[in-house]
Amino acid sequence: QMRKYGSRKEGGGGLRNGRSSSASRPGSIDPSSWKYFDSRAVGIPAGAIPRNCMAVLQMLKRKGFEAYLVGGCVRDLLLKRAPKDFDVITTASLKEIKEHVFSRCFIVGNRFPICLVRWRGSLFEVSSFKTNTTQVKGNENVNCSEDTDGRDGGDILRWKDSLRRDFTVNSLFFNPFNHRVYDYVNGVKDLRKNKRCVQ
């Protein structure tokens, strides 16, 4: 299972560092570095997520899909800043999003296609794990069965998606329904160091 962060106070409050996310050999996976923590322990209140954003997440969930906040909005929430926008990622494909959840959304983009969802005056970018995991350079060389035996499939999906993101601090996933923030590339550690570390 994933390890949970410690919660000791350090330098005005912070999280205990985990092990390095660097694997021991090229192309290998180090699941021991995968961590999660309770968002409430770091002061992310439920009210920090706009009602319209929660509605988008709930609608995806009601249709049987997993949905998370991802990227810069999670980083900003951890820094106690008000995010300018909230990006969503889901286990639904873009086609499923349009056909079963948000029929009026628009699918845009060629290299990294997403759904633009307008809900009650707010615009959200919703991406799909099914799109992103096929576009991570080098993923085809990783033997997931060897290094992630017994790991939760959700962890593998989120880990693969984190590999494509530009900075580790933008590779955090937040599920406000179970109050968990997931970290697969030591993004929180880099955030605490005030670094925007390229993976």
Side-chain angles (χ1 to χ4, degrees), residues 20-34 139 141-149 151 155-156 159-160 163 184:
S20 170
S21 62
S22 298
S24 58
R25 65 187 188 280
S28 67
I29 307 170
D30 181 16
S32 66
S33 68
W34 297 357
N139 262 6
N141 297 323
V142 176
N143 186 344
C144 290
S145 62
E146 174 188 353
D147 296 302
T148 61
D149 185 37
R151 295 282 167 174
D155 283 323
I156 296 173
W159 167 76
K160 281 186 175 182
L163 297 182
Y184 299 88

Side-chain angles (χ1 to χ4, degrees), residues 49-173:
I49 312 300
R51 185 174 301 178
N52 289 348
C53 181
M54 286 298 295
V56 169
L57 294 168
Q58 287 169 344
M59 291 180 72
L60 287 162
K61 186 178 180 183
R62 285 172 187 163
K63 292 294 184 178
F65 303 112
E66 294 181 31
Y68 305 86
L69 295 176
V70 67
C73 64
V74 184
R75 174 202 63 213
D76 289 345
L77 289 169
L78 290 171
L79 292 173
K80 297 183 172 52
R81 299 172 180 168
K84 295 180 179 179
D85 47 44
F86 290 82
D87 293 339
V88 174
I89 189 165
T90 178
T91 53
S93 68
L94 300 185
K95 182 178 179 181
E96 288 171 328
I97 294 170
K98 187 168 181 64
E99 291 185 354
H100 303 299
V101 192
F102 302 105
S103 60
R104 296 184 179 181
C105 73
F106 296 95
I107 299 176
V108 299
N110 294 317
R111 185 179 179 189
F112 296 109
I114 60 170
C115 280
L116 290 180
V117 174
R118 186 172 294 278
W119 184 254
R120 295 181 178 176
S122 300
L123 187 65
F124 301 96
E125 293 186 2
V126 182
S127 58
S128 170
F129 284 112
K130 293 181 179 179
T131 300
N132 295 346
T133 54
T134 62
Q135 297 178 339
V136 180
K137 186 177 180 180
N139 262 6
E140 64 278 4
N141 297 323
V142 176
N143 186 344
C144 290
S145 62
E146 174 188 353
D147 296 302
T148 61
D149 185 37
R151 295 282 167 174
D152 181 80
D155 283 323
I156 296 173
L157 269 180
R158 293 184 292 265
W159 167 76
K160 281 186 175 182
D161 187 82
S162 70
L163 297 182
R164 79 174 184 87
R165 298 186 177 271
D166 49 1
F167 299 106
T168 60
V169 295
N170 289 333
S171 301
L172 303 169
F173 303 86

Side-chain angles (χ1 to χ4, degrees), residues 21 71 75 162 165-172 182-191 195-199:
S21 62
R75 174 202 63 213
S162 70
R165 298 186 177 271
D166 49 1
F167 299 106
T168 60
V169 295
N170 289 333
S171 301
L172 303 169
Y182 298 88
D183 182 2
Y184 299 88
V185 290
N186 274 339
V188 171
K189 180 179 178 181
D190 293 335
L191 191 65
K195 289 183 177 181
R196 299 175 68 209
C197 295
V198 178
Q199 296 178 37

